[in-house]
């Protein structure tokens, strides 16, 4: 059940986003667009509710529940940024808006950009850890929740691997485009 809801939430996210942006830029229905985009966080509430109901109903935690917590964390930390990115792309492509902003090409501005992105990844990981701890506390049965700890421990690889980019841009910064010519 959780996997189906997780997949449904992901499809729903992109569907609501596409319909919201189409309503705004193609159909000029700003109120409808706002309503559709405001529905996006409801998907997170649906997923969280399903995970809690499943766990409270006696399910043994596994990767599905861990993925649900990771999805929620990503959505909370990166959701607004993803919507802004898609909005800028859609506005440029379909409504003649300016090109979307790009990350700095090099130098210390790029290093700062990469460190900020990495800190968001760390925040998402910490939030996933907190959600897992909340599920463990809510269920209060270590025999059913131990796999969650193993899952979140395995997720530690993500911020560690992602650390490569900010460190490399800090230690070996590329020259900005203007300095290369």
């Amino acid at each position: 059940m959780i996997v189906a809801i997780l997949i449904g939430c992901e499809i729903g996210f992109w569907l609501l986003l596409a319909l919201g942006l189409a309503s705004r830029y193609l159909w000029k229905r700003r109120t409808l667009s706002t309503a559709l985009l405001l529905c996006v966080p409801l998907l997170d509430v649906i997923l969280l509710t399903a995970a809690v109901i499943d766990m409270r109903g006696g399910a043994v935690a596994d990767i599905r529940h861990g993925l649900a917590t990771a999805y929620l964390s990503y959505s909370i930390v990166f959701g607004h940024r993803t919507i802004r990115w898609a909005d800028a792309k859609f506005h440029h492509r379909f409504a003649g808006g300016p090109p979307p902003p790009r990350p700095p090409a090099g130098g210390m501005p790029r290093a700062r950009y990469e460190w900020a992105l990495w800190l968001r990844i760390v925040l998402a990981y910490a939030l996933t850890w907190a959600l897992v701890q909340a599920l463990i506390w809510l269920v209060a049965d270590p025999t059913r929740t131990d796999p969650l700890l193993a899952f979140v421990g395995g997720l530690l690889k993500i911020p560690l691997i992602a650390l490569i980019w900010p460190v490399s841009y800090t230690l070996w910064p590329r020259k900005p485009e203007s300095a290369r010519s």
Side-chain angles (χ1 to χ4, degrees):
M1 173 181 104
I2 295 297
V3 172
I5 292 172
L6 185 62
I7 291 169
C9 286
E10 183 66 15
I11 292 169
F13 171 81
W14 290 107
L15 188 62
L16 284 172
L17 182 58
L19 288 172
L21 295 175
S23 298
R24 175 173 293 170
Y25 295 115
L26 300 178
W27 307 319
K28 309 293 187 222
R29 306 273 317 262
R30 187 126 179 120
T31 305
L32 177 60
S33 170
T34 301
L36 288 168
L37 293 175
L38 286 174
C39 286
V40 170
L42 293 177
L43 297 171
D44 295 337
V45 172
I46 291 168
L47 181 58
L48 180 61
T49 303
V52 168
I53 289 171
D54 194 40
M55 291 298 298
R56 296 286 289 185
V60 175
D62 59 16
I63 192 168
R64 298 169 301 176
H65 299 91
L67 284 174
T69 62
Y71 179 87
L72 287 169
S73 299
Y74 176 88
S75 182
I76 291 167
V77 175
F78 288 99
H80 189 267
R81 182 183 178 115
T82 303
I83 291 171
R84 264 196 346 252
W85 168 83
D87 183 50
K89 289 275 197 189
F90 202 97
H91 187 216
H92 175 66
R93 174 89 168 105
F94 296 105
R102 301 186 87 153
M108 284 316 291
R110 180 59 183 249
R112 280 191 295 277
Y113 172 86
E114 294 295 335
W115 280 109
L117 188 60
W118 182 76
L119 287 173
R120 284 180 177 271
I121 292 168
V122 170
L123 178 60
Y125 176 76
L127 187 54
T128 300
W129 186 266
L131 288 170
V132 162
Q133 291 301 320
L135 271 178
I136 289 170
W137 174 78
L138 188 65
V139 172
D141 182 358
T143 60
R144 292 189 321 155
T145 57
D146 280 346
L148 284 175
L149 291 175
F151 174 81
V152 82
L155 279 185
L156 184 57
K157 295 172 194 162
I158 294 172
L160 292 176
I161 291 169
L163 188 59
I164 293 169
W165 282 268
V167 168
S168 66
Y169 275 101
T170 301
L171 297 177
W172 303 285
R174 284 194 283 170
K175 292 184 180 175
E177 292 295 323
S178 60
R180 288 187 197 178
S181 357

